[in-house]
Every structure is written in structure tokens, then in C-alpha cells.
Amino acid sequence: MRLKRTLLVTGALLGIVYNAWAQNRLITYPAPEGEEMKNDFVVDVREPGGEWKQVDTYAVKVDEVRDTKHHVEKASLGYFDFSGEVEVKVRFCHGSIETARVRPLSYGIVPTVTDSVLTFRLDRPRNLSVEVNGDIFHNLHLFANPIDVNNPLEGTTLKKLKRRRDLIYFGPGVHRLPGDTLNVPSGKTVYVAGGAVVKGCIRAVNVRDVKILGRGKVHPEGRGAGLSIVNSKNVLVDGLISTQCPTGGSDSVTIRNVKVISSYGWGDGLNVFASNNVLFDGVFCRNSDDCTTVYGTRMGFVGGCRNITMQNSTLWADVAHPIFIGIHGNVKNPEVLENLNYVNIDILDHKEKQLDYQGCLAINAGDNNLIRHVRFENIRIENFRQGQLLNLRIFYNKKYCQAPGRGIEDVFFKDIVYTGSNAEVSQIIGYDKERRVKNIRFENLVINGVRIADNMPGKPTWYKTGDMARIFVGEHTEGVTFE
């Protein structure tokens, strides 16, 4: 009954938003009363030559590690929808702008700066970090979305919308879920509108044919996942902003244009446990632990993983790994993690002092897991603060594993570009003669403008090619090649 009342009260407000949506190429969403906002920036957007519209900026917590201790800082977050082109104006409220950058750097967005104001244009949707005077912990996370084709008000009337029994609708405003949890029934669509904030967790548990959509924010009052998919099939999550979105024991899951930002311990972004056929497309992760993982048996979910793809995405690990594969599994009934693909990804940061947990691209086989057929392609790694470019190991980490992994096989790195100066020595290491790392192929690995290849000019014949890239190729490895 409470959810139905939410639909009735807020639907009329969103009717106004829908009319604007039908006429304009630019939509902004006023923040609801009661949400904590941030005043470090004033953000305005407009169609070229049109009237400026303000983008409200929320406070969002991020994790800064200083001297091995965690410090929660408050950054800014704003979002809007557009098509065609849009002009963006950002005024910094704490003095002059000495330096400014818009990341990912691969987008080539160079802002124009005048005193305390920076401006730039966008010709396509982007998930961005706007950073002033080198401050990455009080930055502006600016999510420029495509026009939302999932808006249920499109092409219908509010009266008809209210009769839809397959829809659970949250309009603009703050909503607190009864019991802090909404378990979505099979066949239902949940829509969280722009300007809405849902306090709690929206979950797909033991269901199928579920959609969780919108532009709003979903997060618990404290720590924990705002979205989760558990033992379910055929689930779509699209467009929302949250803290974490794990997937466990599930099949045929698509997570698209979802943004997850966390600040607390164990704040992994997009975990996959014992699931198959999972697609992440256009996601943004800034997390206080691993951004995205693939594990076997773990957290009550049992089985291996197959056909996991992440593409067109941005990863920012304030702690631990941007990409981490393989540490957890079933020792008694060994599992396989295979057909894992990471394509067209920007990695903005990696900060990890512990050597056991470093690696932007990390495959650490434990618990008798066999990990095979992994592809990293078209990945751009910026100058992260501390860690390794890659880490491929079969290991026995007694803190988290009951046995070493069985093997790592057939891993392909293509068009990997790293530009930076903070990378420590990367590692490719097997465990013993039965538990090996083999068939690791690099094609067009470029480090600070230098292509690393077996026949690269200037490489002494007695050097391993990995030495030229500060990659230690250790014992129990075979078939490691650089082209």
C-alpha cells in the first residue's frame, strides 16, 4: 500500500518532467529536500546557445587512505540527461582554479578555465570526474546520461500508468523502504525517477524477468549494497546510482550505465559470485575495495562462472583492485572461471600498499580454481597512486583460501596502454609444476609510449621481454609472449 501511495503522490509531479522530456534534449533533476548536498561547485548545463539549467550536486562519501588509515571524505555528485550536444559550466566555490582536468583523460576533454570557472562541451553521454587543483577526494562526479528511454511516463498518461500492476514506481523525493529492503517479485519493473532517493536495498531474490531502472539514487542509510541480484535469472539494472551491486548465483544479468561509489570497508562495487552470462556495460565504479570481481563459490553461492563481460566502463579503486578474478572457490569440488572479457575500459586509479593485493588487472587463482580464456582489450590505465599494472599468480593466501588454484590459462592482453610513473613490479608466477600459468599473450602493450614486444629495438638478447616492462615472469610459467 505504501508503494502504491508513492506512485499516486509523485506521479503528478513527474508528469511535468515528462512533458519537458518530450520537447527538449536536456533534462535536469532537482534534488529532493532532506538530502545532503555539497557546495564545492555550482554546475550549469545548456543546449548550445540556450538557457543555463542548474545541476544539483549531492554529497557523496569516498575513501582516502593516508598512512595506512582510512579517512572518509565528501566529494560532489551531479547528473543529467541529454542528446545531441551540451555545454557544461562548473564554478569552483573555493577560490581560483590553478589546474583542472576532466577524466577519463582518453576522452580528450580539455576544459577552458577563466578564474574560478571551467567550461567544456559534450557530444555524447559520459561518466566524468571533474578535478580542480589536483584534488581527487573533493572532486565532482558528473554523470551525463543519455535520454532515458525506460521512463514509464513516455507515451502514456498518468492515469494509465497507475493501472500498471507490473510497475513499482518511485517519483522525486526521499523514500524509506519498509524494513530497509524491497524484494522485487518476478515479472516486475521497478523505476526510480530522476530526483528520487530510495533509502534501503532493492533486491532481485529467487526471481526472474525483473527490471530495476531509472535515474535516481538507491542506497542504505549506512553501509551496504543498495542493489543486489541473488539466485535470479533474466535481470536488467539500468541507469541508477548506488553503493554496490553484487550478483550471486544468477544467470542472464545485464547491468548498464549503473554508477556505484562506496567509502567503507569491504565496499566492493560489482561482485560476481557463481554466476553465468553477466554483462556490465557503461558502468562507473569508484570503490573502497575491489571495483569488480569474479569469484566461484562464496557468500553462500555455489558454482563457477562463465561468460562474464565488462565493456565501455570506468573503474577507480581508492583501495585494492580495479579488476580482480579468482581467489574464492570450492576446494572439494573444484570450479572453472572462464570466458571473462574486459573491453574498452578506463582505469583512473589504484591504491594498495599491501603487495598481496596489488594489480590493476589481477588474476589470483586460489581454492583449486582453474581460470581460463580471459581477455583484456583496449584498456587505458592512468597514473594510479600505488600498485601494479598486472598480477597473475597461482597462490595460497591462507587468510582467504583453503588451497592454491589449479591454473591460469589462455589470457590475452590486447591494446593495453599505461601512462604513469608509480607502478611497482608486476608479477606472473605459477605455484608448482602441476599448478602453472601458461599461454599468456600480450599484443600491443604500450607503457609510457613504448611498445613492449619480443622483437622490440634495444632489448638485450639475454633479457626477458617482461624485464622491459617491469613485469617479473617467474617460475612455473610457460608460453608468455609479447607481440
Side-chain angles (χ1 to χ4, degrees), residues 173 196 288 448:
S288 51
N448 291 321

Side-chain angles (χ1 to χ4, degrees), residues 102 208 300 357:
V102 179
R208 60 185 301 145
Y357 307 106

Side-chain angles (χ1 to χ4, degrees), residues 1-14 30-35 58 79 168-182 190-202 213 215-221 226 240:
M1 181 61 70
R2 183 172 181 176
L3 297 180
K4 183 176 181 181
R5 189 179 303 117
T6 297
L7 174 61
L8 291 173
V9 171
T10 62
L13 297 175
L14 271 182
E33 291 186 9
E35 271 298 278
Y58 298 79
Y79 63 93
I168 301 171
Y169 190 90
F170 296 93
V174 177
H175 310 270
R176 287 177 171 82
L177 296 174
D180 296 322
T181 302
L182 169 62
V190 176
Y191 188 84
V192 181
V197 177
V198 176
K199 305 282 191 178
C201 179
I202 298 177
L213 313 171
R215 286 292 183 267
K217 298 171 60 185
V218 182
H219 58 79
E221 294 278 11
L240 296 170

Side-chain angles (χ1 to χ4, degrees), residues 434-448:
E434 280 79 36
R435 301 170 185 260
R436 303 175 65 82
V437 176
K438 58 184 180 181
N439 301 333
I440 311 300
R441 178 185 166 199
F442 293 86
E443 182 180 308
N444 195 35
L445 169 64
V446 178
I447 298 178
N448 291 321

Side-chain angles (χ1 to χ4, degrees), residues 56 167 435:
D56 289 342
L167 178 66
R435 301 170 185 260

Side-chain angles (χ1 to χ4, degrees), residues 268 271-274 290 293-297 305 324 326-328 337:
D268 291 3
N271 295 113
V272 178
F273 308 100
D290 306 314
T293 68
V294 176
Y295 300 142
T297 292
C305 287
F324 189 38
I327 191 173
H328 300 297
L337 312 178

Side-chain angles (χ1 to χ4, degrees), residues 398-409:
K398 294 184 179 180
K399 185 175 181 180
Y400 295 107
C401 301
Q402 299 180 36
R406 283 183 292 156
I408 299 173
E409 302 176 357

Side-chain angles (χ1 to χ4, degrees), residues 155-175:
T156 189
T157 65
L158 181 60
K159 184 176 181 180
K160 291 181 179 179
L161 188 68
K162 288 188 291 187
R163 294 201 294 264
R164 281 187 54 180
R165 298 187 179 277
D166 64 328
L167 178 66
I168 301 171
Y169 190 90
F170 296 93
V174 177
H175 310 270

